[in-house]
Amino acid sequence: MTTEWKTVSLFPIPSVIYLIHNNVQFATLTYVDTSTYQILGNLKIVTTGILFRLFLGRRLSNLQWMAIVLLAVGTTTSQVRGCGEASCDSIFSAPIQGYMLGVLSACLSALAGIYTEFLMKKNNDSLYWQNIQLYTFGTFFNMARLLADDFRGGFENGPWWQRIFNGYTITTWMVVLNLGSTGLLVSWLMKHADNIVKVYSTSMAMLLTMILSLFLFNFKPTLQLFLGIIICMMSLHMYFAPPNLLLDKPLTVKLDEEKLIEVSIDRRTLS
């Protein structure tokens, strides 16, 4: 448990980035509809790969870059609605501010994830100690934002701590528990894997979501969703499979191997 201020002082940075990112997300939704917002959110897959290379110095092969782009295409395909629906052309009808905020949100999300991975792997501190530092600063910054909103509104509805749990139900608490568990799992991925694994796990979750929705809701899968899942699976295989499984051996190598096998068989028969 490193307690040096030089190390601890690095943890407020991702908290500030996440705070800005959360507010940019809400600002984006004031300009675009939910479908366009989801599609713009897929840009973070590509921005994560770019920042992964620039800030952490991780080299990616050409096949891996193609896989990352293919993953973004697959997730976008799964979220595109059919042209028979009224909102088919809404993707290209949003104001320019919505697209700019969407790109900014994708960059901030990737930057926060890359910086958090850097902090998690900076030393061998306990993962739980690192989480305590990260979320403590995040709590302080969000409390400051709530207090600033109260001052701006003249405390018309009372201080934030008196109404923080207003409207909470058992469903709300389950969502909080789910998001808290997700945060712990993501921090584990940052510590022992990397941001690319996190991106793939998030994108492939739509397959599990589709299966659960079939049983829990009256959900009818679309062709776009099936195509998106297939593209994402191809991307998953391209990124993580060994290169020798993705590339065929040259014909000359295969012929040489066949000759060696024939020679060895001939020697055995002679002996």
Side-chain angles (χ1 to χ4, degrees):
M1 291 175 58
T2 304
T3 56
E4 297 177 0
W5 175 246
K6 183 179 180 181
T7 301
V8 175
S9 62
L10 297 175
F11 282 86
I13 299 175
S15 301
V16 173
I17 298 174
Y18 277 120
L19 176 63
I20 298 173
H21 171 249
N22 290 335
N23 285 276
V24 169
Q25 282 183 309
F26 285 106
T28 306
L29 284 169
T30 62
Y31 291 101
V32 301
D33 62 5
T34 53
S35 298
T36 307
Y37 172 78
Q38 286 183 317
I39 293 173
L40 288 174
N42 294 326
L43 290 173
K44 67 183 178 184
I45 298 174
V46 179
T47 55
T48 297
I50 294 173
L51 296 181
F52 189 73
R53 174 70 181 90
L54 294 178
F55 288 96
L56 297 182
R58 308 287 181 84
R59 294 188 63 86
L60 299 176
S61 66
N62 291 334
L63 275 176
Q64 288 177 322
W65 279 114
M66 291 171 62
I68 289 175
V69 175
L70 200 60
L71 180 65
V73 172
T75 52
T76 302
T77 301
S78 68
Q79 294 163 355
V80 172
R81 297 184 178 183
C83 285
E85 300 186 22
S87 59
C88 176
D89 59 348
S90 64
I91 299 175
F92 305 103
S93 60
I96 187 64
Q97 296 94 324
Y99 298 114
M100 293 176 65
L101 288 171
V103 173
L104 177 61
S105 176
C107 293
L108 288 173
S109 175
L111 179 61
I114 294 297
Y115 192 86
T116 302
E117 180 182 344
F118 166 74
L119 286 181
M120 292 294 182
K121 294 178 178 177
K122 183 177 174 61
N123 50 40
N124 292 322
D125 281 3
S126 167
L127 177 63
Y128 302 105
W129 169 238
Q130 291 176 322
N131 275 329
I132 288 173
Q133 297 175 84
L134 187 64
Y135 288 110
T136 298
F137 285 112
T139 302
F140 284 149
F141 286 125
N142 281 280
M143 287 169 58
R145 173 60 194 269
L146 287 172
L147 191 60
D149 289 342
D150 285 341
F151 276 105
R152 191 180 298 111
F155 289 89
E156 182 179 356
N157 298 318
W160 63 268
W161 57 84
Q162 292 182 357
R163 48 186 165 76
I164 188 171
F165 296 117
N166 288 354
Y168 269 53
T169 63
I170 184 63
T171 305
T172 313
W173 285 110
M174 289 176 65
V175 171
V176 172
L177 179 63
N178 182 19
L179 293 176
S181 303
T182 301
L184 292 175
L185 289 173
V186 167
S187 64
W188 186 89
L189 283 177
M190 297 292 191
K191 183 79 170 180
H192 302 289
D194 55 48
N195 269 275
I196 302 298
V197 176
K198 185 198 77 170
V199 166
Y200 269 97
S201 63
T202 304
S203 301
M204 295 306 296
M206 64 181 176
L207 175 60
L208 179 61
T209 302
M210 181 193 72
I211 295 173
L212 291 176
S213 298
L214 289 173
F215 294 99
L216 298 177
F217 311 106
N218 188 20
F219 175 71
K220 296 180 181 179
T222 61
L223 176 62
Q224 294 93 324
L225 180 60
F226 279 116
L227 291 175
I229 291 174
I230 293 172
I231 294 173
C232 288
M233 286 182 173
M234 293 172 60
S235 170
L236 181 71
H237 180 67
M238 284 178 62
Y239 189 90
F240 291 102
N244 58 343
L245 294 180
L246 300 173
L247 301 175
D248 291 332
K249 292 182 179 180
L251 184 60
T252 55
V253 175
K254 290 184 178 179
L255 291 175
D256 291 340
E257 289 179 352
E258 291 174 358
K259 289 179 180 179
L260 288 174
I261 294 173
E262 290 177 358
V263 170
S264 62
I265 292 174
D266 290 341
R267 286 180 178 176
R268 288 178 184 177
T269 53
L270 289 175
S271 61

